[in-house]
Amino acid sequence: MEPTISFFSGFGRQDILFMAEAAWRTLLISTISIAIGTILGTIFGWLLYEGRIWATLFLAPVLDAFRSVPLIIQLVLFYNFVPIIGLSLDAFQSGLVILTIYTASLVANVARGGIESVGKPMRRAARSLGMSYWQDLRYVVLPIGTRAVFPSWVGVALGVLKDSALVSVLGYVELLRASQILMTRTQEPLLIISIAGAFYFALSYPISRYSAKLEKRWSQ
């Protein structure tokens, strides 16, 4: 009688390392997209606040579209559209582009709210002291507006960190995709999902704690 061949194996040390590497991939794509998206979103928010005609007619609808359409649809459409126009982007690059634009669309509203939180009397006072428009933005609007909207920005950053799991639909092996692979092989979904949740917590908790300490320091 021939021995039974098993296609499944137990969860081992190498699987933990595999998930740790996937967690690093999650952190990598999230950090880059949040950093670049925050810079772009701040610029977009400023343009929307200024009320330029082209920003109102073109930029605002585009940002609304990225905020409104589910992220997974954006990822799939972009990944399949890129080869049509002759570009060659892998899953990481495609996911990074969409996550960055998605982040920028969310941050744009946050940034505009931060600028609007600085009262016009304060800005007029700054101009009366001889500050230029750009000095007013740098020394008055940026410090005050940042403190006002920092909690909202942290919420956006944490949301993007978790939403990066959707890049798995493109084949990018981040934490969720790695968990799916291991669940198929080991048939231990509860254990693997618990470990994945612990990794997500380990990535998110330091951001929450540091932001809370920073807000407390600013309030003193």
Side-chain angles (χ1 to χ4, degrees):
M1 181 177 179
E2 295 183 359
T4 302
I5 300 176
S6 176
F7 294 95
F8 307 110
S9 59
F11 189 83
R13 178 174 174 275
Q14 290 300 320
D15 298 325
I16 288 286
L17 296 178
F18 179 60
M19 293 189 71
E21 181 182 355
W24 162 250
R25 289 170 172 263
T26 294
L27 182 62
L28 179 64
I29 194 171
S30 300
T31 301
I32 297 175
S33 60
I34 291 170
I36 300 176
T38 297
I39 296 173
L40 292 177
T42 301
I43 296 173
F44 294 157
W46 169 70
L47 292 174
L48 293 174
Y49 172 80
E50 289 297 320
R52 309 286 183 179
I53 295 179
W54 67 269
T56 303
L57 296 179
F58 175 73
L59 182 60
V62 171
L63 296 179
D64 286 339
F66 277 96
R67 280 194 299 267
S68 303
V69 177
L71 182 57
I72 190 170
I73 295 179
Q74 297 179 37
L75 289 166
V76 173
L77 288 178
F78 182 78
Y79 187 64
N80 288 279
F81 176 75
V82 163
I84 298 177
I85 60 177
L87 295 178
S88 178
L89 299 179
D90 58 23
F92 172 80
Q93 294 167 334
S94 298
L96 182 61
V97 170
I98 293 300
L99 274 179
T100 298
I101 300 175
Y102 177 71
T103 303
S105 68
L106 297 176
V107 172
N109 267 354
V110 173
R112 181 171 61 178
I115 297 174
E116 291 175 347
S117 69
V118 182
K120 290 185 178 180
M122 186 176 296
R123 299 195 64 180
R124 284 196 294 265
R127 300 299 291 273
S128 68
L129 291 175
M131 288 187 179
S132 66
Y133 174 81
W134 298 109
Q135 288 175 326
D136 171 34
L137 284 179
R138 179 179 177 183
Y139 297 109
V140 178
V141 176
L142 183 61
I144 298 176
T146 299
R147 294 185 182 189
V149 301
F150 184 70
S152 298
W153 178 85
V154 172
V156 170
L158 291 175
V160 172
L161 176 63
K162 290 178 286 188
D163 289 341
S164 66
L166 296 176
V167 184
S168 62
V169 301
L170 307 183
Y172 180 64
V173 185
E174 44 67 66
L175 191 52
L176 179 61
R177 180 63 176 166
S179 301
Q180 293 171 336
I181 293 172
L182 292 178
M183 281 189 289
T184 300
R185 183 174 62 79
T186 65
Q187 297 297 296
E188 296 185 32
L190 183 59
L191 173 63
I192 293 173
I193 287 297
S194 299
I195 295 175
F199 272 115
Y200 275 115
F201 177 78
L203 295 176
S204 303
Y205 185 71
I207 299 175
S208 301
R209 292 299 302 165
Y210 179 74
S211 62
K213 289 183 178 180
L214 197 57
E215 287 180 61
K216 186 176 180 180
R217 185 187 308 170
W218 284 345
S219 64
Q220 293 177 349

